[in-house]
Amino acid sequence: MANLQIGTFVLNIELLIYFIAGIAGVLIVRYRDRNHAERERRAGQAWNAVFLWIIVWKASLMLFDFQGVIRHPLSLVFFSGGLRGVWLASIISLAYLFLRNYRPNGSREALKVAGTWGAGMAAVSFFALILLDDSSGTVHYVGFAMAVVLLAILLQSTSKIASQSLGILLLVAMLGFTIFDGTVGQSARVDQAAPDFELRDLDGNTVRLSDYRGKTVVLNFWATWCRVCQAEMPHLEKFYRDQQDRNVVLLSVNATSQERSDELVGKYANQEGLSFPIVLDESGEVLRDYAVTAYPTTYIIDPSGTLRNQYLGATSYETLMKAARPIR
């Protein structure tokens, strides 16, 4: 999922979505218990569940890539456990809410409290992913519909109100998608031909982007001084090693015009054991052609040479695999 760039600052959209979804879950719990004596206590527990969810989701990266986190601790800031982390965080947070309400209220009420928060968070998450994620599909729509129906049941709404609510939400989703889709294309060159360029690599050889026509190209822009780029490098290296025998190319463009020297780039690559192709943009012309103002920035170019996706900020191995798969 593409992040949001504000000037040179890149905002992690996925983290923002889940945090807002958690807040929505809290508000729905408060609404459900609006006439209940324990409303504030349950709302407080729901807030705890939100922060627990985010912490587990981020920290789950250590379970799935322990060596990478030890080597680059900042990975915990820029990456997460991905979809597996989402499941783990959801299970732990729902279990927390259930156990906190089991003894004072019984299993049935505890399930309702946990279910209300979970369904609210899921509904908003799926809704946002449908709007913002180009790779969203049937699973997201089904998940959104199920979460809304479950909410309607837990909030003791009638079937008529439930169907009306679902219709309104779907209408808002279509309207939001239309507005969003009309603005995104203006800021990125997606669906246009990728500007060709010719740069030299670390060994002094000339590399042209058009030489890779017929292959999917993952074009990554970075700098050695960029801490986010440093955390991203192990993910790029793993992706390159897994894909180098397939019809996918990883081409890394260093912002050499913003480095102290090009020798520093080669030294960094050797120190980190990077084996993927790195070319040097010494004049900054390629950065301007691709409108790169924040690092790292990654483009996905299809075999015909057309830009298909743009990713701002750190891109994980899981995201790269997902982005390259549909256009092989």
Side-chain angles (χ1 to χ4, degrees), residues 234-253:
H235 294 259
L236 295 177
E237 180 65 22
K238 182 179 179 182
F239 173 80
Y240 172 73
R241 291 181 182 274
D242 287 349
Q243 300 298 309
Q244 60 181 337
D245 295 330
R246 304 184 182 183
N247 204 36
V248 179
V249 174
L250 170 61
L251 183 59
S252 180
V253 180

Side-chain angles (χ1 to χ4, degrees), residues 78-257:
F78 305 116
F79 298 107
S80 67
L83 182 59
R84 292 175 295 179
V86 169
W87 280 106
L88 181 61
S90 300
I91 292 171
I92 291 178
S93 298
L94 289 172
Y96 162 79
L97 280 177
F98 174 81
L99 293 174
R100 288 302 303 269
N101 288 277
Y102 173 72
R103 295 188 66 180
N105 301 298
S107 59
R108 183 174 181 178
E109 184 65 15
L111 282 173
K112 286 185 177 181
V113 174
T116 300
W117 176 82
M121 184 171 182
V124 174
S125 297
F126 280 123
F127 177 73
L129 291 173
I130 290 170
L131 286 181
L132 305 177
D133 194 347
D134 293 335
S135 61
S136 63
T138 303
V139 173
H140 297 83
Y141 287 96
V142 172
F144 172 69
M146 291 178 62
V148 171
V149 171
L150 180 58
L151 270 179
I153 295 173
L154 291 172
L155 295 176
Q156 299 179 351
S157 298
T158 64
S159 59
K160 181 179 180 180
I161 294 177
S163 61
Q164 289 176 345
S165 299
L166 180 58
I168 292 172
L169 286 173
L170 289 176
L171 181 62
V172 172
M174 290 187 290
L175 178 62
F177 177 80
T178 301
I179 296 173
F180 181 82
D181 188 57
T183 58
V184 168
Q186 299 174 4
S187 61
R189 299 185 177 187
V190 175
D191 294 330
Q192 297 182 13
D196 196 15
F197 58 80
E198 181 179 300
L199 298 173
R200 67 179 182 89
D201 63 17
L202 295 176
D203 296 322
N205 302 314
T206 299
V207 177
R208 291 182 63 91
L209 177 63
S210 55
D211 292 340
Y212 299 111
R213 188 65 56 85
K215 298 183 177 181
T216 296
V217 179
V218 177
L219 188 64
N220 175 260
F221 293 88
W222 68 288
T224 60
W225 44 262
C226 167
R227 301 299 295 273
V228 184
C229 303
Q230 295 171 14
E232 182 185 53
M233 284 299 163
H235 294 259
L236 295 177
E237 180 65 22
K238 182 179 179 182
F239 173 80
Y240 172 73
R241 291 181 182 274
D242 287 349
Q243 300 298 309
Q244 60 181 337
D245 295 330
R246 304 184 182 183
N247 204 36
V248 179
V249 174
L250 170 61
L251 183 59
S252 180
V253 180
N254 174 260
T256 316
S257 60

Side-chain angles (χ1 to χ4, degrees), residues 1 14 24 33 45 50 57 113 135 156 169 186 198 206 210 219 250 254 257 271 282 298 304 318-320 327:
M1 180 187 300
E14 190 174 16
D33 294 333
Q45 292 171 352
V50 174
W57 174 59
V113 174
S135 61
Q156 299 179 351
L169 286 173
Q186 299 174 4
E198 181 179 300
T206 299
S210 55
L219 188 64
L250 170 61
N254 174 260
S257 60
Q271 177 183 328
E282 298 174 286
T298 302
S304 69
E318 186 179 69
T319 299
L320 290 170
I327 52 177

